[in-house]
Amino acid sequence: MYIYDSVKKEKREFIPLQEGKVSLYVCGPTVYDDAHLGHAKSALVFDLLTRVLRANGYDVTYARNITDIDDKIIKKAQEQKREIKEITDFYTDSFHSEMALLGVNRPDIEPKATESLEAMFAMMQKLIDSNHAYRTEEGDVYFDTASDSEYLSLSKRVQEEDERQERVESSSLKKNPADFALWKSVKDDSLTFDSPFGKGRPGWHLECSAMIEKHLATDDAPFAIDIHGGGADLLFPHHENEAAQTRCSSNHALANYWMHNGFVNINGEKMSKSLGNSFFLKDALKEYDAEVLRFYLLSTHYRSNFNFNTEDLTIAKKRLDKIYRLKKRLFGLADNSDTTEFQTKLLEALSDDMNVSSALALIEEMLSSANETLDTAGKHKALKKETISNLKYIETLLGFGVKNPYEYFQFGVDDATQEKLATLIEQRDAAKKEKNFEESDRLRDEILAFGVNLMDTPVGTFWEKI
RNA sequence: GGUGCCAUCGCCAAGUGGUAAGGCCGCAGCCUGCAAAGCUGCUAUCCCCAGUUCAAAUCUGGGUGGCACCUCCA
């Protein structure tokens, strides 16, 4: 298994801290709004990673947090005059159900910030005790970046005097403009938590470090966890700060490997609220089959930026269709459980820093070769079993082709239309039997007008939603 | 301004030293009553310049052109 380490900036062989075990932590969503395509991409990438690690025989513990303490959540609660918990529960639930539709497996641990306060307090106290953090007169607690000689080693940023000056806030009591908040004291009656440091709210960065320490870290290793993942934008300042907190409050560094997934752009533009082109997952799911979205979002390398557009999405559907057509061709037959050469190669491709493009090339070669043999006369009993086994392997490893193939091709077609189509196909078959091709072609045009494709096969006529 | 990434067929996209995967589109053919689906065949020398090497898309230097982060962000 090879992983590109986005801090060391090179592909490294993956060697776990503990033999046979992997601890993985990924920064999850802040639950104040619906998930957009970027959240989907990140969740899918690390879902694939856990699948590949497990296929390689590792015992994986995957944690992804839910940030349910945040200024944006509080703001939304105040605007909508709703309880904080009502908002965070709502968006946590919708996140879960949308991810489930995409075939994203639930992480093993999903810690919430609200449930991890004790761990945050403990870490903060250690940082204060070791002079890596300080309290201001206003009651805030800041991390003292000057106290950490390795600060900025992750993002390789260089702090310049000009920049420092620029970012000084007049009211701030920070020693250094780069210092970030561990605890923000709050005087008003908005969402606050009691702590040994007074009433207030924890800083965002502290959350992740504390939860990793609480749920995943092992004491005797040089790193708290094997792999830390997240979106490319989180490297600075979020991951930089996380790493500093962990490093300065414990005897280990944070993560041995860092993985950052690329961004999802919409038609070449960055998704953002100011551009008004945020693409919510729930809207995409109304228009497109969830598995097509899964396939599409995973079809290019996780580190590249992803340019979402409907043309490429249509191509992704065509590619997934091919898997389902072969599945349909072999529907209902039993598989053979032996590991095939195809399966070995597929896992090998995905174990090379998740090279999905190579994996898809292997899959499409396998599909072509299987179809070619099935096109020739004969029973091909062994090949059929092997192919079904291959398809099942693809389902498990990549989550492609998991549905009933007949239902897959009926996405978005209501029952009434399906009945109409069945009737029209019956009439067309009758016309064909009488060799009344003029009538059968007329009926075919009528059928195609429903936005479906028609295909005559030896076992009957089928339609597929385009 | 700082840091970093990228540039491969019309489009999407692998490949990081040994002579260009795969998909979409297109063309030709097989199959089909005709189609659709499926199958077969055909289609690029890798942004530019210079260098290293027996050998470079792949390494080095320079250029040009994109993009990201540096503020909350997956």
Side-chain angles (χ1 to χ4, degrees):
Chain A
M1 180 95 198
Y2 285 84
I3 287 175
Y4 181 86
D5 183 337
S6 43
V7 167
K8 290 206 166 69
K9 301 205 183 297
E10 61 182 14
K11 205 187 271 186
R12 298 168 59 203
E13 185 176 0
F14 177 70
I15 299 163
L17 298 170
Q18 284 180 278
E19 201 182 333
K21 290 189 175 180
V22 181
S23 49
L24 167 68
Y25 182 91
V26 176
C27 295
T30 300
V31 283
Y32 72 102
D33 205 348
D34 286 304
H36 58 232
L37 292 174
H39 293 106
K41 169 89 180 172
S42 179
L44 283 165
V45 163
F46 293 103
D47 177 59
L48 179 60
L49 178 67
T50 57
R51 287 171 189 246
V52 173
L53 286 167
R54 285 184 175 131
N56 275 293
Y58 288 112
D59 176 11
V60 181
T61 305
Y62 172 25
R64 183 185 60 206
N65 69 305
I66 299 279
T67 299
D68 58 355
I69 303 174
D70 185 272
D71 288 352
K72 291 189 286 290
I73 298 170
I74 295 162
K75 195 178 161 212
K76 188 146 195 162
Q78 286 165 343
E79 279 170 6
Q80 302 191 346
K81 301 205 181 346
R82 289 161 74 190
E83 291 295 317
I84 303 264
K85 195 161 180 345
E86 196 187 327
I87 297 208
T88 56
D89 282 352
F90 177 82
Y91 289 114
T92 301
D93 289 348
S94 65
F95 181 81
H96 282 147
S97 56
E98 284 164 11
M99 291 308 146
L101 283 170
L102 289 177
V104 173
N105 293 138
R106 281 284 280 271
D108 303 296
I109 307 171
E110 281 192 288
K112 292 181 177 175
T114 47
E115 294 164 0
S116 312
L117 288 161
E118 290 302 325
M120 296 188 221
F121 299 156
M123 182 169 274
M124 228 190 312
Q125 192 58 57
K126 280 185 185 171
L127 289 170
I128 291 174
D129 292 346
S130 59
N131 290 319
H132 285 296
Y134 57 91
R135 302 181 69 174
T136 67
E137 287 170 20
E138 290 173 340
D140 299 330
V141 180
Y142 285 102
F143 183 89
D144 185 355
T145 50
S147 76
D148 176 19
S149 60
E150 290 178 61
Y151 190 66
L152 299 182
S153 61
L154 236 72
S155 57
K156 317 259 190 319
R157 292 187 71 235
V158 180
Q159 204 128 43
E160 292 189 2
E161 286 305 316
D162 290 354
E163 190 189 3
R164 291 188 180 197
Q165 295 304 322
E166 219 172 272
R167 301 199 187 283
V168 172
E169 298 156 35
S170 55
S171 64
S172 176
L173 295 170
K174 287 194 270 188
K175 287 185 188 172
N176 186 318
D179 294 353
F180 54 90
L182 301 176
W183 187 257
K184 296 178 205 169
S185 111
V186 178
K187 303 283 187 282
D188 62 41
D189 57 356
S190 57
L191 177 73
T192 57
F193 299 92
D194 285 319
S195 82
F197 315 92
K199 274 182 175 291
R201 305 199 275 273
W204 173 44
H205 313 300
L206 184 62
E207 212 183 285
C208 289
S209 293
M211 290 192 272
I212 288 169
E213 214 56 39
K214 178 180 171 186
H215 294 284
L216 296 172
T218 45
D219 270 343
D220 48 356
F223 299 95
I225 53 172
D226 289 294
I227 306 169
H228 190 129
D233 55 328
L234 296 179
L235 180 57
F236 185 87
H238 185 52
H239 290 161
E240 185 75 60
N241 294 352
E242 266 186 65
Q245 290 162 351
T246 299
R247 182 164 57 228
C248 295
S249 66
S250 72
N251 56 357
H252 48 231
L254 184 49
N256 196 183
Y257 298 83
W258 289 86
M259 294 176 78
H260 291 96
N261 65 274
F263 263 56
V264 178
N265 297 325
I266 305 290
N267 294 319
E269 279 190 318
K270 187 185 164 169
M271 225 191 312
S272 78
K273 288 201 169 142
S274 53
L275 286 169
N277 64 349
S278 283
F279 207 138
F280 290 119
L281 187 52
K282 63 174 183 182
D283 295 326
L285 286 168
K286 278 181 209 153
E287 279 190 67
Y288 309 108
D289 181 285
E291 200 177 316
V292 172
L293 281 170
R294 177 188 178 91
F295 186 99
Y296 178 42
L297 288 168
L298 281 178
S299 64
T300 65
H301 196 92
Y302 74 91
R303 274 188 280 126
S304 309
N305 280 342
F306 189 92
N307 186 24
F308 189 95
N309 63 84
T310 50
E311 295 83 63
D312 291 344
L313 180 66
T314 306
I315 291 166
K317 181 188 179 307
K318 285 184 182 179
R319 297 181 82 168
L320 184 58
D321 284 354
K322 288 157 80 148
I323 293 177
Y324 272 108
R325 288 207 187 95
L326 184 59
K327 194 177 176 186
K328 203 159 78 170
R329 222 173 157 172
L330 301 167
F331 192 65
L333 299 175
D335 72 325
N336 169 331
S337 56
D338 289 347
T339 299
T340 64
E341 192 191 340
F342 162 77
Q343 292 166 23
T344 309
K345 282 186 172 172
L346 189 70
L347 181 58
E348 216 173 83
L350 290 170
S351 299
D352 181 14
D353 195 36
M354 294 200 279
N355 192 332
V356 180
S357 290
S358 287
L360 289 179
L362 287 167
I363 288 173
E364 270 148 1
E365 278 163 15
M366 185 278 286
L367 296 178
S368 288
S369 144
N371 274 320
E372 187 186 0
T373 309
L374 292 173
D375 279 349
T376 62
K379 296 244 181 225
H380 311 299
K381 209 174 163 187
L383 175 95
K384 283 179 179 172
K385 284 190 167 186
E386 192 177 291
T387 306
I388 291 171
S389 162
N390 286 343
L391 290 172
K392 283 199 172 166
Y393 195 76
I394 295 167
E395 286 177 34
T396 309
L397 195 51
L398 286 150
F400 300 157
V402 297
K403 290 180 193 162
N404 173 306
Y406 292 94
E407 286 168 12
Y408 168 79
F409 284 115
Q410 293 167 357
F411 176 80
V413 181
D414 60 54
D415 291 348
T417 309
Q418 291 196 27
E419 273 176 43
K420 260 185 231 165
L421 286 168
T423 311
L424 288 166
I425 285 172
E426 242 173 73
Q427 293 174 4
R428 175 170 169 271
D429 282 345
K432 275 176 66 182
K433 256 186 191 163
E434 292 163 17
K435 302 228 184 283
N436 184 353
F437 295 126
E438 205 175 305
E439 175 64 4
S440 74
D441 286 353
R442 190 193 65 76
L443 284 161
R444 179 166 59 199
D445 287 343
E446 202 174 317
I447 292 165
L448 262 39
F450 284 93
V452 301
N453 251 347
L454 206 57
M455 41 198 68
D456 297 324
T457 77
V459 288
T461 300
F462 298 100
W463 58 269
E464 294 181 354
K465 180 82 178 105
I466 295 168

